[in-house]
Amino acid sequence: MSRTHERRSLVTALAGLGLVLAVLASVLLSVRDAPHVTAEAVEAPARAEPAAVRPAAPAPAKCDDGEDPAASLRPSGAAGTAVERIRKRGHLVVGVDQNSYLWGYRNPHTGEIDGFDIDLVGAVARDLLGADAKIVYKTIPTDQRIPAIQGREVDMVVRTMTINCERREEVAFSTSYFEAGQQVLAPRRSTIEGYDASLRGRKVCTAKGSTGETSLRGESHGASIVTVPNQLDCLVRLQLGQVDAVVTDNALAAGQAAQDPSVRLVGEPFTRESYGVAMNLRDTDLVRRVNKVLDDFRKGGRAGQWRSSFDKWLAPVMTDTDPRPPAPKYRD
């Protein structure tokens, strides 16, 4: 298939879903005068049944130092070096996704980046900079999240980023704000049954640098692994028939299944993963400040910020009847 024909097919596939998404976008800057703009969610096409996301797999093992990978620093409202740096600059710089439907995506009705992760960014920005906080969004591919933090291109990354032992050596994480698990996404007509021998001889797509890639490199079940910069690229390849299945977080896959009812989650989650806000290892005061924001974000039960954001963005595509934020864990 020629590059021109492939691009036309890609655009046609996405347009038919009623979504305008920049699949291969490079780093993009978007400055907003307020951390959150109220907007209606994208009208999704007719959906298949919602996808369950509460992970069935056991929690990750402890790291070599004996710590739970999801344990973070205790919350504090103090303003240290990192917090003061952001305040002096006058805006928060955050690495996000613009292609993950309902998490961080370019809303075609408004042109704004919206989603569950973006609501959390807004809460952090308001705490640091006040009600009229300015945010600079940088859209970053999956495999560039850690380099962007280490190179101080961003103050933090809020991008459905799984906390694990390997990443904890390179960046600092907040406490967990959501739990998900790796699962297989496949066409409804497919005979693939899950993360098992039914993958043998198939092409399976995952984002480069993701925990899905780590899982497949460890046990491919006889599949050929195809890696792409962003997870949505996998959905496009699946739509074009270039791969047979996708391995990704089931929370993300639920959004992809909502975009395209011809695909569905199969099998059971085979990992249990916690999403966290990632920051530079040196910015311990910022980590504590974000954990303070997360404490407030989780409070309030059904009327709280976490539940309100879940109900707005994720409830339509997830079957969890009693969604709750994960309890914070601390190591100090």
Side-chain angles (χ1 to χ4, degrees):
M1 178 182 295
S2 70
R3 181 171 298 179
T4 299
H5 182 63
E6 185 177 16
R7 287 177 177 171
R8 287 175 180 169
S9 298
L10 183 152
V11 171
T12 300
L14 292 178
L17 300 173
L19 298 169
V20 180
L21 297 167
V23 179
L24 302 177
S26 58
V27 174
L28 177 149
L29 297 179
S30 176
V31 182
R32 292 166 67 178
D33 292 333
H36 176 69
V37 176
T38 302
E40 296 179 358
V42 166
E43 297 174 4
R47 293 170 179 157
E49 69 273 8
V53 296
R54 190 169 292 278
K62 291 185 177 181
C63 301
D64 291 341
D65 59 6
E67 295 284 355
D68 186 319
S72 184
L73 301 176
R74 291 195 176 274
S76 171
T81 303
V83 172
E84 289 300 333
R85 182 181 69 243
I86 293 166
R87 287 178 171 173
K88 184 176 180 179
R89 186 201 303 137
H91 60 266
L92 181 67
V93 184
V94 187
V96 297
D97 198 355
Q98 68 169 2
N99 295 324
S100 291
Y101 183 52
L102 305 178
W103 287 92
Y105 74 107
R106 183 73 64 178
N107 189 325
H109 294 317
T110 65
E112 301 288 350
I113 297 179
D114 277 327
F116 188 94
D117 278 349
I118 308 307
D119 284 357
L120 177 55
V121 172
V124 172
R126 287 190 294 271
D127 180 80
L128 294 174
L129 299 168
D132 296 326
K134 290 185 173 64
I135 306 170
V136 174
Y137 291 114
K138 288 193 173 183
T139 59
I140 298 175
T142 301
D143 63 347
Q144 293 302 306
R145 293 176 296 189
I146 289 175
I149 295 167
Q150 293 176 329
R152 294 203 177 276
E153 297 174 36
V154 297
D155 297 310
M156 61 187 65
V157 166
V158 185
R159 194 185 181 283
T160 58
M161 189 168 178
T162 298
I163 305 167
N164 61 32
C165 297
E166 293 75 21
R167 290 173 177 171
R168 205 182 67 161
E169 297 297 316
E170 300 179 291
V171 297
F173 281 102
S174 70
T175 53
S176 173
Y177 64 86
F178 200 90
E179 284 189 346
Q182 294 292 310
Q183 200 167 347
V184 176
L185 185 75
R188 288 185 170 275
R189 65 182 183 278
S190 174
T191 58
I192 293 173
E193 299 176 350
Y195 188 65
D196 53 30
S198 63
L199 294 177
R200 182 171 300 278
R202 308 298 184 92
K203 293 181 179 179
V204 179
C205 187
T206 193
K208 185 178 181 181
S210 69
T211 49
E213 182 186 16
T214 301
S215 296
L216 284 166
R217 298 293 182 196
E219 176 54 81
S220 69
H221 292 289
S224 299
I225 304 169
V226 177
T227 60
V228 294
N230 289 299
Q231 198 59 54
L232 184 65
D233 299 340
C234 281
L235 177 60
V236 173
R237 286 177 180 264
L238 193 63
Q239 291 169 332
L240 296 175
Q242 296 174 353
V243 298
D244 301 299
V246 175
V247 167
T248 186
D249 301 0
N250 53 6
L252 293 176
Q256 293 181 359
Q259 289 174 253
D260 185 353
S262 70
V263 301
R264 65 188 177 106
L265 284 160
V266 296
E268 296 294 330
F270 56 90
T271 66
R272 185 173 179 179
E273 304 181 3
S274 296
Y275 293 164
V277 178
M279 291 156 278
N280 194 284
L281 285 170
R282 298 186 182 89
D283 293 347
T284 55
D285 66 305
L286 185 59
V287 175
R288 295 185 187 277
R289 189 65 175 250
V290 169
N291 284 339
K292 171 184 169 294
V293 174
L294 283 171
D295 273 359
D296 294 336
F297 199 73
R298 297 185 189 96
K299 290 178 182 177
R302 290 179 178 274
Q305 295 179 76
W306 189 96
R307 181 59 184 270
S308 295
S309 187
F310 181 95
D311 288 346
K312 178 179 181 179
W313 300 112
L314 306 178
V317 300
M318 296 182 179
T319 60
D320 198 335
T321 57
D322 187 25
R324 299 179 185 180
K329 300 175 183 179
Y330 302 110
R331 65 173 185 267
D332 63 346

